[in-house]
């Protein structure tokens, strides 16, 4: 799809070049890691656009420009983590404001909303956003934001973003979408009417599991100005080395996403045929309840699969039996990972709510990396014999 931002170049070209210019002093092709906190001024009050690194940072600006271009957005504002990016977006609101959020959110996002932001007077209503009428019904005269994660983590439920856009418009509230699971390679929510897209750059965008970071992207100049103000005023900025690593990771985003998705499609289909596996959640499967919506809204199905076993003990035997898939939190790296969402990423969500959301004890999540597909399948096969 063509970009309306910048030069109309293709995705892979933008992933390598957008936001980046050869260093004016040396001609260095790669963006330098400007490891500095401050900048010398030419005279009192006369600087070169850079005063202090919390406020202005060139390595960070290159990352922001690149991700913004990939999302077809005009502004990127980077943060020290995905959680910090979501927190910054929430601080656009004020005490007393109401939000409607998807009920199947990343555990840390849920913890931020419930255990931190509620104390500052924000109130949240959680709904199953697969049901647009439920989202609409939750809107009050005071609802200022609709916050959605699609596909959801870890059950891979899909929310219709165009329907959310209409609801947000009628309610005069902002639509914010966490696009971490798809990356802009497979899904671009701003094109579907989102006001803000947030990412944990820790995951697919960086893709090498060697930094933690986040970013918010928007096409709205006013929102961007406020987020830029908050980035500086609150101060959860990423360091220069982390920005450099994310920029380097982005260069191979299309190749990594393609490979990870192709393997995930193959493995998901194969997993449905295994007796020990009682359910497979992957939007690329034809019997996934929102498969048709996923085909319309995304240009691929991503690299995350969740699956269920007969009971929690079987799930644990499977997880502990895997050898190439490493048992670890996180996803979206070149290496394959596996996790137990209930005990790991979503441990912060209260048990009753976890069960209501379908985050059962026998659920396992796989993040499919870019190793040889045959090796990954053999690994799953040998672990299944231990179940
Ligand atoms: C990991 C993750 C986050 C939080 O990002 P951090 O970089 O770990 O703070 C938010 N949303 C989703 C969907 C995630 O997977």
């Amino acid at each position: 799809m063509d970009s309306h931002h910048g030069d109309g170049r293709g995705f892979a070209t933008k992933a390598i070049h957008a936001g980046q210019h050869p260093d004016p002093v040396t001609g260095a092709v790669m963006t330098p890691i400007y490891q500095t906190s401050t900048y010398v001024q030419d005279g009192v009050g006369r600087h070169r656009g850079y005063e202090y690194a919390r406020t202005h940072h060139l390595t960070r600006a290159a990352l922001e420009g690149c991700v913004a271009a990939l999302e077809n957005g005009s502004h990127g504002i980077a943060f020290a983590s995905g959680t910090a990016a979501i927190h910054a977006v929430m601080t656009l609101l004020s005490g007393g404001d109401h939000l409607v959020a998807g009920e199947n959110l990343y555990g840390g996002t849920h913890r931020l909303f419930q255990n931190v932001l509620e104390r500052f007077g924000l109130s949240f209503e959680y709904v199953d956003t697969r049901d647009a009428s439920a989202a609409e019904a939750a809107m009050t005269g005071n609802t200022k934001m609709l916050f959605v994660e699609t596909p959801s983590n870890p059950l891979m439920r899909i929310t219709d973003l165009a329907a959310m856009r209409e609801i947000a418009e009628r309610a005069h509230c902002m639509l914010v979408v966490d696009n971490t699971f798809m990356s802009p390679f497979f899904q671009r929510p701003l094109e579907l009417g989102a006001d803000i897209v947030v990412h944990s750059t820790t995951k697919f965008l960086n893709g090498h599991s060697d930094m933690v970071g986040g970013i918010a992207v928007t096409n709205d100049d006013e929102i961007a100005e406020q987020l830029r103000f908050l980035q500086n005023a609150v101060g959860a900025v990423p360091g220069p080395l982390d920005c450099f690593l994310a920029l380097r990771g982005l260069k191979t985003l299309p190749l990594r996403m393609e490979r990870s998705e192709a393997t995930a499609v193959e493995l998901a289909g194969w997993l449905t045929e295994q007796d020990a596996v009682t359910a497979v959640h992957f939007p690329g499967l034809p019997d996934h309840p929102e498969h048709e919506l996923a085909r319309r809204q995304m240009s691929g199905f991503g690299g995350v699969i969740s699956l269920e076993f007969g009971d929690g003990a079987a799930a644990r035997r499977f997880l502990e039996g895997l050898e190439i898939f490493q048992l670890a939190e996180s996803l979206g790296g070149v290496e394959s990972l596996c996790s137990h969402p209930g005990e790991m990423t979503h441990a912060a969500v209260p048990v009753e709510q976890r069960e209501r959301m379908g985050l059962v004890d026998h659920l396992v999540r796989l993040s499919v990396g870019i190793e040889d597909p045959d090796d990954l399948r053999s690994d799953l096969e040998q672990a299944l014999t231990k179940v």
Side-chain angles (χ1 to χ4, degrees):
M1 205 168 292
D2 280 341
S3 159
H4 67 259
H5 173 70
D7 40 32
R9 287 182 178 153
F11 192 94
T13 307
K14 290 194 284 187
I16 295 170
H17 296 288
Q20 297 153 77
H21 313 281
D23 176 52
V25 177
T26 62
V29 167
M30 289 302 140
T31 306
I33 304 163
Y34 286 97
Q35 195 71 49
T36 190
S37 62
T38 191
Y39 309 88
V40 71
Q41 305 201 0
D42 296 331
V44 177
R46 280 190 292 120
H47 57 78
R48 306 171 201 176
Y50 296 92
E51 291 171 275
Y52 186 63
R54 171 163 32 75
T55 323
H56 301 111
H57 199 281
L58 207 144
T59 317
R60 186 178 85 207
L63 172 63
E64 292 172 335
C66 188
V67 178
L70 294 178
E71 284 285 4
N72 269 341
S74 39
H75 309 276
I77 302 96
F79 295 90
S81 66
T83 308
I86 294 168
H87 177 262
V89 166
M90 293 298 139
T91 55
L92 290 168
L93 306 181
S94 304
D97 288 347
H98 178 257
L99 291 93
V100 174
E103 66 174 2
N104 192 199
L105 293 178
Y106 172 71
T109 302
H110 189 271
R111 178 176 55 202
L112 170 67
F113 290 178
Q114 201 87 343
N115 301 357
V116 181
L117 295 173
E118 289 228 340
R119 289 195 284 112
F120 292 84
L122 292 181
S123 62
F124 296 84
E125 176 148 0
Y126 301 95
V127 296
D128 182 346
T129 50
R130 284 177 299 178
D131 177 2
S133 60
E136 177 108 62
M139 294 285 158
T140 70
N142 196 30
T143 305
K144 300 288 162 55
M145 193 180 281
L146 173 57
F147 186 96
V148 176
E149 213 177 283
T150 182
S152 70
N153 178 7
L155 288 165
M156 309 305 291
R157 292 171 176 166
I158 313 288
T159 294
D160 185 341
L161 291 178
M164 294 302 113
R165 170 71 255 159
E166 285 175 23
I167 292 167
E169 223 158 75
R170 279 196 289 277
H172 304 291
C173 76
M174 276 184 274
L175 173 62
V176 179
V177 179
D178 184 332
N179 197 28
T180 299
F181 266 47
M182 278 301 109
S183 91
F185 185 68
F186 285 136
Q187 174 171 273
R188 287 185 291 280
L190 295 179
E191 293 174 358
L192 300 169
D195 297 291
I196 304 172
V197 169
V198 292
H199 275 283
S200 168
T201 52
T202 316
K203 316 292 170 56
F204 288 104
L205 293 185
N206 174 58
H208 293 73
S209 304
D210 52 12
M211 53 74 76
V212 169
I215 195 162
V217 180
T218 181
N219 271 318
D220 185 307
D221 295 343
E222 208 172 303
I223 291 175
E225 194 183 321
Q226 290 176 48
L227 284 173
R228 186 68 68 194
F229 169 81
L230 289 162
Q231 180 191 44
N232 183 52
V234 180
V237 292
L241 176 60
D242 288 343
C243 292
F244 172 85
L245 288 169
L247 268 174
R248 184 163 77 162
L250 279 169
K251 293 181 194 299
T252 54
L253 178 68
L255 295 173
R256 289 185 288 104
M257 293 308 293
E258 270 169 6
R259 173 64 171 262
S260 163
E261 196 239 13
T263 308
V265 166
E266 184 191 320
L267 294 180
W270 180 81
L271 282 164
T272 60
E273 295 160 9
Q274 307 309 309
D275 291 340
V277 177
T278 56
V280 180
H281 305 282
F282 183 69
L285 292 171
D287 65 352
H288 183 283
E290 295 94 46
H291 179 66
E292 285 311 313
L293 170 61
R295 292 183 75 95
R296 278 204 306 282
Q297 180 163 283
M298 293 134 57
S299 55
F301 304 109
V304 180
I305 303 170
S306 62
L307 50 152
E308 295 181 27
F309 289 88
D311 56 39
R316 282 173 175 74
R317 283 195 296 275
F318 176 72
L319 285 169
E320 288 166 10
L322 287 164
E323 287 166 6
I324 299 176
F325 283 87
Q326 299 176 88
L327 182 62
E329 298 207 7
S330 201
L331 56 107
V334 290
E335 74 294 334
S336 294
L337 297 177
C338 61
S339 70
H340 184 282
E343 294 275 332
M344 297 167 72
T345 48
H346 290 67
V349 180
V351 180
E352 325 79 69
Q353 194 167 345
R354 250 188 267 160
E355 307 243 300
R356 188 156 46 78
M357 285 160 46
L359 277 176
V360 287
D361 192 45
H362 52 270
L363 184 78
V364 164
R365 188 183 77 190
L366 300 177
S367 172
V368 178
I370 63 171
E371 298 96 336
D372 288 291
D374 288 349
D375 289 336
L376 295 180
R377 183 196 289 217
S378 304
D379 193 30
L380 296 175
E381 207 161 17
Q382 64 79 23
L384 283 173
T385 66
K386 298 173 182 161
V387 169

PDB file of all heavy atoms in Angstrom, residues 187-211:
ATOM      1  N   GLN A 187      -0.729  -4.996   9.598  1.00  0.00           N
ATOM      2  CA  GLN A 187      -1.949  -4.258   9.955  1.00  0.00           C
ATOM      3  C   GLN A 187      -1.603  -2.798  10.247  1.00  0.00           C
ATOM      4  O   GLN A 187      -0.677  -2.532  11.011  1.00  0.00           O
ATOM      5  CB  GLN A 187      -2.573  -4.907  11.205  1.00  0.00           C
ATOM      6  CG  GLN A 187      -3.767  -4.167  11.797  1.00  0.00           C
ATOM      7  CD  GLN A 187      -4.442  -4.985  12.890  1.00  0.00           C
ATOM      8  OE1 GLN A 187      -5.309  -5.798  12.611  1.00  0.00           O
ATOM      9  NE2 GLN A 187      -4.026  -4.791  14.142  1.00  0.00           N
ATOM     10  N   ARG A 188      -2.366  -1.872   9.642  1.00  0.00           N
ATOM     11  CA  ARG A 188      -2.100  -0.459   9.881  1.00  0.00           C
ATOM     12  C   ARG A 188      -3.374   0.251  10.349  1.00  0.00           C
ATOM     13  O   ARG A 188      -4.158   0.766   9.548  1.00  0.00           O
ATOM     14  CB  ARG A 188      -1.500   0.187   8.631  1.00  0.00           C
ATOM     15  CG  ARG A 188      -0.049  -0.258   8.412  1.00  0.00           C
ATOM     16  CD  ARG A 188       0.620   0.431   7.259  1.00  0.00           C
ATOM     17  NE  ARG A 188       0.057   0.023   5.992  1.00  0.00           N
ATOM     18  CZ  ARG A 188       0.369  -1.110   5.357  1.00  0.00           C
ATOM     19  NH1 ARG A 188       1.266  -1.931   5.857  1.00  0.00           N
ATOM     20  NH2 ARG A 188      -0.202  -1.412   4.207  1.00  0.00           N
ATOM     21  N   PRO A 189      -3.571   0.272  11.673  1.00  0.00           N
ATOM     22  CA  PRO A 189      -4.821   0.797  12.236  1.00  0.00           C
ATOM     23  C   PRO A 189      -5.109   2.259  11.891  1.00  0.00           C
ATOM     24  O   PRO A 189      -6.280   2.640  11.812  1.00  0.00           O
ATOM     25  CB  PRO A 189      -4.630   0.620  13.747  1.00  0.00           C
ATOM     26  CG  PRO A 189      -3.632  -0.500  13.866  1.00  0.00           C
ATOM     27  CD  PRO A 189      -2.706  -0.312  12.703  1.00  0.00           C
ATOM     28  N   LEU A 190      -4.078   3.075  11.660  1.00  0.00           N
ATOM     29  CA  LEU A 190      -4.362   4.484  11.338  1.00  0.00           C
ATOM     30  C   LEU A 190      -5.142   4.567  10.023  1.00  0.00           C
ATOM     31  O   LEU A 190      -6.000   5.429   9.855  1.00  0.00           O
ATOM     32  CB  LEU A 190      -3.068   5.307  11.212  1.00  0.00           C
ATOM     33  CG  LEU A 190      -2.215   5.487  12.468  1.00  0.00           C
ATOM     34  CD1 LEU A 190      -0.970   6.312  12.150  1.00  0.00           C
ATOM     35  CD2 LEU A 190      -2.990   6.141  13.606  1.00  0.00           C
ATOM     36  N   GLU A 191      -4.851   3.641   9.109  1.00  0.00           N
ATOM     37  CA  GLU A 191      -5.567   3.639   7.829  1.00  0.00           C
ATOM     38  C   GLU A 191      -7.028   3.227   8.008  1.00  0.00           C
ATOM     39  O   GLU A 191      -7.858   3.468   7.141  1.00  0.00           O
ATOM     40  CB  GLU A 191      -4.886   2.664   6.843  1.00  0.00           C
ATOM     41  CG  GLU A 191      -3.502   3.141   6.431  1.00  0.00           C
ATOM     42  CD  GLU A 191      -2.763   2.122   5.568  1.00  0.00           C
ATOM     43  OE1 GLU A 191      -3.294   1.026   5.310  1.00  0.00           O
ATOM     44  OE2 GLU A 191      -1.631   2.440   5.161  1.00  0.00           O
ATOM     45  N   LEU A 192      -7.318   2.561   9.139  1.00  0.00           N
ATOM     46  CA  LEU A 192      -8.688   2.132   9.412  1.00  0.00           C
ATOM     47  C   LEU A 192      -9.387   3.105  10.355  1.00  0.00           C
ATOM     48  O   LEU A 192     -10.487   2.836  10.834  1.00  0.00           O
ATOM     49  CB  LEU A 192      -8.680   0.723  10.019  1.00  0.00           C
ATOM     50  CG  LEU A 192      -8.049  -0.353   9.130  1.00  0.00           C
ATOM     51  CD1 LEU A 192      -7.844  -1.648   9.890  1.00  0.00           C
ATOM     52  CD2 LEU A 192      -8.915  -0.606   7.894  1.00  0.00           C
ATOM     53  N   GLY A 193      -8.724   4.230  10.643  1.00  0.00           N
ATOM     54  CA  GLY A 193      -9.394   5.272  11.418  1.00  0.00           C
ATOM     55  C   GLY A 193      -8.980   5.413  12.864  1.00  0.00           C
ATOM     56  O   GLY A 193      -9.579   6.196  13.603  1.00  0.00           O
ATOM     57  N   ALA A 194      -7.952   4.664  13.305  1.00  0.00           N
ATOM     58  CA  ALA A 194      -7.486   4.844  14.691  1.00  0.00           C
ATOM     59  C   ALA A 194      -6.851   6.227  14.826  1.00  0.00           C
ATOM     60  O   ALA A 194      -6.261   6.751  13.881  1.00  0.00           O
ATOM     61  CB  ALA A 194      -6.476   3.768  15.056  1.00  0.00           C
ATOM     62  N   ASP A 195      -6.981   6.824  16.009  1.00  0.00           N
ATOM     63  CA  ASP A 195      -6.345   8.115  16.267  1.00  0.00           C
ATOM     64  C   ASP A 195      -4.894   7.926  16.689  1.00  0.00           C
ATOM     65  O   ASP A 195      -4.039   8.751  16.375  1.00  0.00           O
ATOM     66  CB  ASP A 195      -7.106   8.856  17.373  1.00  0.00           C
ATOM     67  CG  ASP A 195      -8.526   9.174  16.941  1.00  0.00           C
ATOM     68  OD1 ASP A 195      -8.682  10.026  16.046  1.00  0.00           O
ATOM     69  OD2 ASP A 195      -9.471   8.531  17.452  1.00  0.00           O
ATOM     70  N   ILE A 196      -4.639   6.855  17.442  1.00  0.00           N
ATOM     71  CA  ILE A 196      -3.282   6.588  17.927  1.00  0.00           C
ATOM     72  C   ILE A 196      -3.029   5.080  17.834  1.00  0.00           C
ATOM     73  O   ILE A 196      -3.903   4.274  18.162  1.00  0.00           O
ATOM     74  CB  ILE A 196      -3.101   7.011  19.402  1.00  0.00           C
ATOM     75  CG1 ILE A 196      -3.467   8.488  19.608  1.00  0.00           C
ATOM     76  CG2 ILE A 196      -1.672   6.755  19.884  1.00  0.00           C
ATOM     77  CD1 ILE A 196      -3.486   8.920  21.079  1.00  0.00           C
ATOM     78  N   VAL A 197      -1.829   4.722  17.400  1.00  0.00           N
ATOM     79  CA  VAL A 197      -1.387   3.329  17.441  1.00  0.00           C
ATOM     80  C   VAL A 197      -0.257   3.254  18.458  1.00  0.00           C
ATOM     81  O   VAL A 197       0.620   4.120  18.473  1.00  0.00           O
ATOM     82  CB  VAL A 197      -0.858   2.886  16.054  1.00  0.00           C
ATOM     83  CG1 VAL A 197      -0.145   1.547  16.151  1.00  0.00           C
ATOM     84  CG2 VAL A 197      -1.990   2.794  15.069  1.00  0.00           C
ATOM     85  N   VAL A 198      -0.286   2.239  19.315  1.00  0.00           N
ATOM     86  CA  VAL A 198       0.835   2.045  20.235  1.00  0.00           C
ATOM     87  C   VAL A 198       1.481   0.693  19.965  1.00  0.00           C
ATOM     88  O   VAL A 198       0.836  -0.236  19.460  1.00  0.00           O
ATOM     89  CB  VAL A 198       0.412   2.136  21.726  1.00  0.00           C
ATOM     90  CG1 VAL A 198       0.010   3.548  22.089  1.00  0.00           C
ATOM     91  CG2 VAL A 198      -0.698   1.148  22.053  1.00  0.00           C
ATOM     92  N   HIS A 199       2.773   0.633  20.308  1.00  0.00           N
ATOM     93  CA  HIS A 199       3.548  -0.588  20.119  1.00  0.00           C
ATOM     94  C   HIS A 199       4.475  -0.813  21.296  1.00  0.00           C
ATOM     95  O   HIS A 199       5.033   0.144  21.836  1.00  0.00           O
ATOM     96  CB  HIS A 199       4.508  -0.453  18.920  1.00  0.00           C
ATOM     97  CG  HIS A 199       3.887  -0.767  17.622  1.00  0.00           C
ATOM     98  ND1 HIS A 199       3.659  -2.049  17.214  1.00  0.00           N
ATOM     99  CD2 HIS A 199       3.453   0.037  16.621  1.00  0.00           C
ATOM    100  CE1 HIS A 199       3.105  -2.029  16.010  1.00  0.00           C
ATOM    101  NE2 HIS A 199       2.962  -0.768  15.629  1.00  0.00           N
ATOM    102  N   SER A 200       4.690  -2.078  21.591  1.00  0.00           N
ATOM    103  CA  SER A 200       5.876  -2.441  22.350  1.00  0.00           C
ATOM    104  C   SER A 200       6.907  -2.739  21.270  1.00  0.00           C
ATOM    105  O   SER A 200       6.798  -3.754  20.574  1.00  0.00           O
ATOM    106  CB  SER A 200       5.592  -3.683  23.199  1.00  0.00           C
ATOM    107  OG  SER A 200       6.807  -4.190  23.708  1.00  0.00           O
ATOM    108  N   THR A 201       7.904  -1.872  21.109  1.00  0.00           N
ATOM    109  CA  THR A 201       8.953  -2.124  20.098  1.00  0.00           C
ATOM    110  C   THR A 201       9.836  -3.301  20.521  1.00  0.00           C
ATOM    111  O   THR A 201      10.607  -3.826  19.728  1.00  0.00           O
ATOM    112  CB  THR A 201       9.831  -0.881  19.853  1.00  0.00           C
ATOM    113  OG1 THR A 201      10.322  -0.412  21.114  1.00  0.00           O
ATOM    114  CG2 THR A 201       9.058   0.239  19.186  1.00  0.00           C
ATOM    115  N   THR A 202       9.697  -3.685  21.789  1.00  0.00           N
ATOM    116  CA  THR A 202      10.388  -4.854  22.333  1.00  0.00           C
ATOM    117  C   THR A 202      10.116  -6.114  21.510  1.00  0.00           C
ATOM    118  O   THR A 202      10.956  -7.015  21.465  1.00  0.00           O
ATOM    119  CB  THR A 202       9.843  -5.126  23.770  1.00  0.00           C
ATOM    120  OG1 THR A 202       9.750  -3.882  24.474  1.00  0.00           O
ATOM    121  CG2 THR A 202      10.698  -6.097  24.521  1.00  0.00           C
ATOM    122  N   LYS A 203       8.957  -6.178  20.876  1.00  0.00           N
ATOM    123  CA  LYS A 203       8.492  -7.406  20.243  1.00  0.00           C
ATOM    124  C   LYS A 203       8.901  -7.431  18.754  1.00  0.00           C
ATOM    125  O   LYS A 203      10.061  -7.369  18.467  1.00  0.00           O
ATOM    126  CB  LYS A 203       6.983  -7.543  20.448  1.00  0.00           C
ATOM    127  CG  LYS A 203       6.521  -7.207  21.886  1.00  0.00           C
ATOM    128  CD  LYS A 203       6.997  -8.219  22.921  1.00  0.00           C
ATOM    129  CE  LYS A 203       6.740  -7.751  24.357  1.00  0.00           C
ATOM    130  NZ  LYS A 203       5.362  -7.419  24.670  1.00  0.00           N
ATOM    131  N   PHE A 204       7.946  -7.512  17.835  1.00  0.00           N
ATOM    132  CA  PHE A 204       8.305  -7.708  16.425  1.00  0.00           C
ATOM    133  C   PHE A 204       9.128  -6.550  15.844  1.00  0.00           C
ATOM    134  O   PHE A 204       9.981  -6.777  14.991  1.00  0.00           O
ATOM    135  CB  PHE A 204       7.054  -7.910  15.567  1.00  0.00           C
ATOM    136  CG  PHE A 204       6.407  -9.245  15.773  1.00  0.00           C
ATOM    137  CD1 PHE A 204       5.252  -9.356  16.528  1.00  0.00           C
ATOM    138  CD2 PHE A 204       6.952 -10.397  15.222  1.00  0.00           C
ATOM    139  CE1 PHE A 204       4.646 -10.592  16.722  1.00  0.00           C
ATOM    140  CE2 PHE A 204       6.351 -11.642  15.407  1.00  0.00           C
ATOM    141  CZ  PHE A 204       5.199 -11.742  16.162  1.00  0.00           C
ATOM    142  N   LEU A 205       8.854  -5.307  16.248  1.00  0.00           N
ATOM    143  CA  LEU A 205       9.536  -4.191  15.592  1.00  0.00           C
ATOM    144  C   LEU A 205      11.046  -4.298  15.751  1.00  0.00           C
ATOM    145  O   LEU A 205      11.791  -4.210  14.787  1.00  0.00           O
ATOM    146  CB  LEU A 205       9.013  -2.841  16.099  1.00  0.00           C
ATOM    147  CG  LEU A 205       7.559  -2.524  15.737  1.00  0.00           C
ATOM    148  CD1 LEU A 205       7.172  -1.115  16.164  1.00  0.00           C
ATOM    149  CD2 LEU A 205       7.296  -2.678  14.243  1.00  0.00           C
ATOM    150  N   ASN A 206      11.506  -4.516  16.979  1.00  0.00           N
ATOM    151  CA  ASN A 206      12.942  -4.742  17.157  1.00  0.00           C
ATOM    152  C   ASN A 206      13.293  -6.173  16.748  1.00  0.00           C
ATOM    153  O   ASN A 206      14.256  -6.397  16.013  1.00  0.00           O
ATOM    154  CB  ASN A 206      13.360  -4.477  18.603  1.00  0.00           C
ATOM    155  CG  ASN A 206      14.809  -4.858  18.832  1.00  0.00           C
ATOM    156  OD1 ASN A 206      15.694  -4.347  18.156  1.00  0.00           O
ATOM    157  ND2 ASN A 206      15.062  -5.776  19.741  1.00  0.00           N
ATOM    158  N   GLY A 207      12.538  -7.125  17.265  1.00  0.00           N
ATOM    159  CA  GLY A 207      12.621  -8.490  16.763  1.00  0.00           C
ATOM    160  C   GLY A 207      13.814  -9.326  17.188  1.00  0.00           C
ATOM    161  O   GLY A 207      13.982 -10.432  16.685  1.00  0.00           O
ATOM    162  N   HIS A 208      14.671  -8.829  18.061  1.00  0.00           N
ATOM    163  CA  HIS A 208      15.856  -9.604  18.436  1.00  0.00           C
ATOM    164  C   HIS A 208      15.975  -9.795  19.948  1.00  0.00           C
ATOM    165  O   HIS A 208      17.037 -10.216  20.437  1.00  0.00           O
ATOM    166  CB  HIS A 208      17.120  -8.945  17.877  1.00  0.00           C
ATOM    167  CG  HIS A 208      17.191  -8.990  16.376  1.00  0.00           C
ATOM    168  ND1 HIS A 208      16.391  -8.197  15.577  1.00  0.00           N
ATOM    169  CD2 HIS A 208      17.927  -9.754  15.535  1.00  0.00           C
ATOM    170  CE1 HIS A 208      16.654  -8.464  14.299  1.00  0.00           C
ATOM    171  NE2 HIS A 208      17.573  -9.409  14.245  1.00  0.00           N
ATOM    172  N   SER A 209      14.922  -9.455  20.677  1.00  0.00           N
ATOM    173  CA  SER A 209      14.894  -9.681  22.131  1.00  0.00           C
ATOM    174  C   SER A 209      16.117  -9.115  22.847  1.00  0.00           C
ATOM    175  O   SER A 209      16.617  -9.730  23.793  1.00  0.00           O
ATOM    176  CB  SER A 209      14.753 -11.183  22.426  1.00  0.00           C
ATOM    177  OG  SER A 209      13.594 -11.687  21.774  1.00  0.00           O
ATOM    178  N   ASP A 210      16.586  -7.938  22.383  1.00  0.00           N
ATOM    179  CA  ASP A 210      17.751  -7.360  23.058  1.00  0.00           C
ATOM    180  C   ASP A 210      17.533  -5.921  23.524  1.00  0.00           C
ATOM    181  O   ASP A 210      18.484  -5.205  23.820  1.00  0.00           O
ATOM    182  CB  ASP A 210      19.009  -7.481  22.174  1.00  0.00           C
ATOM    183  CG  ASP A 210      18.792  -6.929  20.761  1.00  0.00           C
ATOM    184  OD1 ASP A 210      17.762  -6.259  20.527  1.00  0.00           O
ATOM    185  OD2 ASP A 210      19.655  -7.176  19.895  1.00  0.00           O
ATOM    186  N   MET A 211      16.299  -5.483  23.585  1.00  0.00           N
ATOM    187  CA  MET A 211      15.998  -4.177  24.176  1.00  0.00           C
ATOM    188  C   MET A 211      14.523  -4.146  24.559  1.00  0.00           C
ATOM    189  O   MET A 211      13.755  -5.022  24.155  1.00  0.00           O
ATOM    190  CB  MET A 211      16.328  -3.015  23.224  1.00  0.00           C
ATOM    191  CG  MET A 211      15.734  -3.069  21.833  1.00  0.00           C
ATOM    192  SD  MET A 211      13.948  -2.699  21.684  1.00  0.00           S
ATOM    193  CE  MET A 211      13.945  -0.918  21.843  1.00  0.00           C
TER     194      MET A 211
END
